[in-house]
Amino acid sequence: MTACIVGWSHTPFGRRDGVDVEALIGQVVGAALADAGVAAADIDEVFVGQINAGFARQEFPSSLVMQSEPGLRFKRATRVENACATGSAAIHGGLTSIAAKRARLVLVVGVEKMTDTAGPEVGNILLKASYVKEEAETAGGFAGIFAKIAQLYFQKHGDQSDALARIAAKNHKNGVGNPFAQMRKDLGYDFCRAESEKNPIVAWPLKRTDCSLVSDGAAAVVLADVETALTLRKAIWFRAAEQANDFLPMSRRDVTLFEGATVAWQRALATARLALDDLSLVETHDCFTVAELIEYEAMGLTPRGQGARAALEGWTEKDGRLPVNPSGGLKSKGHPIGATGVSMHALCSMQLMGEAGDMQVKDAKLAGIFNMGGTAVANYVSILERLR
């Protein structure tokens, strides 16, 4: 690849009462530029990732970046959307612009304001990322969609509720160390495993602790071509950035395999000339715990049907064979949709710079990122390495 991340910023995720999309964008734009050591006037292009789809009254957000930084006026600015992979899609827009030599410096912002929307309507909006002709009447909304995936997986490989609870407990434990996380509480395995008044079934077999959080938040990164990056204070290089899209209808594929994710991972590792074991950590898309379980298999950490081993044997703990979601993941951090992919890239950049604080994985050298839209429909994998 021809680009690096040279600066970033991140708001806390959670219920941000009284803060709208414009304000969230304003909280990260100037901070990311300052972190990169560049001026707004130096930016050649802007990409804003936001799904919206009814969450916020303000559509057409691409020029809102100029409200906080007038130096961005008259720059090219474009909104990007690709379901829950919107943030990574925006980053890929920036990478493409740099590769085409249309830009040297690109600002990418991911943002979402979800909590002003009532719970049932949130479910209706999220279902728009399914194949509406066949899946829109699924009970339980998008949780019901992933509950169906879990049911099919359990039919093939047995009840994996213990593994799902281990994943939830791991991510909540990791989230305690993340200052940006919506939920910073170590709930423990026993709480995550048992159905209770505080942890009810949302859509069997998924409990509340198996589901990511509705959230508000924003994150931003500044991208630069390698030559420019090497003149700045820090440079996190894209060794690979790959995308693979699959069929939208679940009826056209085996949804327990996440084949699009597998292809994206295979392409990225081949491009980077690495094996999975070379990575120091992975931030992966745990919108639901069953997604993280299947993603272990899709990335090649375990054979098909054996993802539970990685969770139950501690492979993916922060001090394990391959730490997965040391940030706490979407499960603990929250999932403001447009911001999620950008957040993943910012947090991995912090890890590689040794600036991740209590999230820090020891001696982190290479970081993998998997961000997906829908039921493994839009699949993005990045592999990052520090150049300076």
Side-chain angles (χ1 to χ4, degrees):
M1 294 300 296
T2 58
C4 297
I5 298 172
V6 295
W8 49 83
S9 62
H10 201 300
T11 71
F13 285 179
R15 179 176 289 275
R16 305 292 304 280
D17 292 333
V19 180
D20 62 10
V21 168
E22 181 180 336
L24 288 167
I25 290 173
Q27 290 175 14
V28 294
V29 169
L33 295 174
D35 190 57
V38 301
D42 297 325
I43 296 295
D44 298 305
E45 192 161 10
V46 178
F47 290 89
V48 177
Q50 184 200 26
I51 185 173
N52 199 349
F55 285 125
R57 185 179 179 187
Q58 177 64 65
E59 293 279 2
F60 191 34
S62 55
S63 284
L64 290 178
V65 295
M66 301 172 194
Q67 303 296 90
S68 57
E69 289 291 334
L72 294 170
R73 190 182 184 196
F74 304 127
K75 305 292 185 179
R76 300 188 300 272
T78 305
R79 175 197 174 195
V80 178
E81 186 277 325
N82 213 3
C84 296
T86 287
S88 289
I91 286 174
H92 274 236
L95 295 176
T96 299
S97 186
I98 290 170
K101 300 189 183 302
R102 283 173 49 84
R104 291 186 312 110
L105 286 163
V106 173
L107 173 66
V108 181
V109 179
V111 64
E112 212 70 65
K113 175 68 176 177
M114 302 174 69
T115 65
D116 286 348
T117 304
E121 183 58 22
V122 170
N124 290 335
I125 291 171
L126 294 179
L127 271 171
K128 294 176 184 179
S130 68
Y131 186 56
V132 173
K133 290 181 180 180
E134 295 178 359
E135 300 158 17
E137 303 305 316
T138 302
F142 221 63
I145 295 282
F146 274 85
K148 182 177 180 180
I149 294 172
Q151 292 162 19
L152 292 169
Y153 189 93
F154 285 15
Q155 289 171 18
K156 289 174 68 173
H157 305 298
D159 189 324
Q160 303 297 328
S161 296
D162 289 349
L164 299 190
R166 289 290 178 195
I167 290 168
K170 167 185 69 72
N171 289 347
H172 279 294
K173 180 180 178 181
N174 289 347
V176 173
N178 184 350
F180 307 114
Q182 182 169 353
M183 184 178 288
R184 301 183 68 186
K185 186 175 183 179
D186 185 355
L187 298 178
Y189 169 77
D190 291 339
F191 180 85
C192 295
R193 181 65 180 87
E195 180 186 353
S196 66
E197 182 179 350
K198 292 185 176 181
N199 190 27
I201 294 290
V202 176
W204 190 86
L206 303 180
K207 299 181 285 294
R208 182 175 291 167
T209 50
D210 293 303
C211 307
S212 59
L213 300 161
V214 173
S215 192
D216 309 328
V221 296
V222 178
L223 306 177
D225 62 42
V226 173
E227 183 179 4
T228 302
L230 292 176
T231 69
L232 300 172
R233 293 193 296 261
K234 47 194 178 183
I236 306 298
W237 177 44
F238 282 84
R239 282 193 66 152
E242 297 289 344
Q243 176 188 359
N245 273 51
D246 205 345
F247 294 120
L248 182 59
M250 294 197 297
S251 62
R252 294 202 61 179
R253 51 202 168 92
D254 184 340
V255 291
T256 68
L257 296 181
F258 284 18
E259 292 166 283
T262 299
V263 170
W265 269 107
Q266 290 173 343
R267 289 175 180 171
L269 290 168
T271 298
R273 299 183 180 180
L274 295 169
L276 188 70
D277 285 344
D278 293 322
L279 301 183
S280 307
L281 69 137
V282 167
E283 286 286 336
T284 202
H285 194 102
D286 60 319
C287 50
F288 300 92
T289 51
V290 68
E292 181 168 329
L293 179 69
I294 298 173
E295 286 158 20
Y296 295 160
E297 301 170 15
M299 71 176 75
L301 184 59
T302 73
R304 296 291 188 189
Q306 297 183 33
R309 287 188 62 200
L312 297 174
E313 297 178 17
W315 298 5
T316 56
E317 298 284 342
K318 188 176 171 184
D319 59 353
R321 170 180 161 187
L322 179 63
V324 175
N325 288 334
S327 70
L330 285 58
K331 179 79 247 340
S332 179
K333 182 178 59 175
H335 184 22
I337 297 175
T340 290
V342 182
S343 166
M344 290 173 157
H345 285 80
L347 290 167
C348 283
S349 296
M350 294 177 198
Q351 289 280 1
L352 298 176
M353 289 297 297
E355 298 175 354
D358 291 338
M359 298 180 284
Q360 187 66 51
V361 172
K362 185 178 179 181
D363 299 326
K365 304 296 183 188
L366 291 159
I369 296 162
F370 174 68
N371 183 203
M372 75 177 180
T375 53
V377 175
N379 304 277
Y380 293 80
V381 173
S382 298
I383 297 177
L384 302 181
E385 180 179 23
R386 180 180 176 178
L387 286 189
R388 62 173 300 161

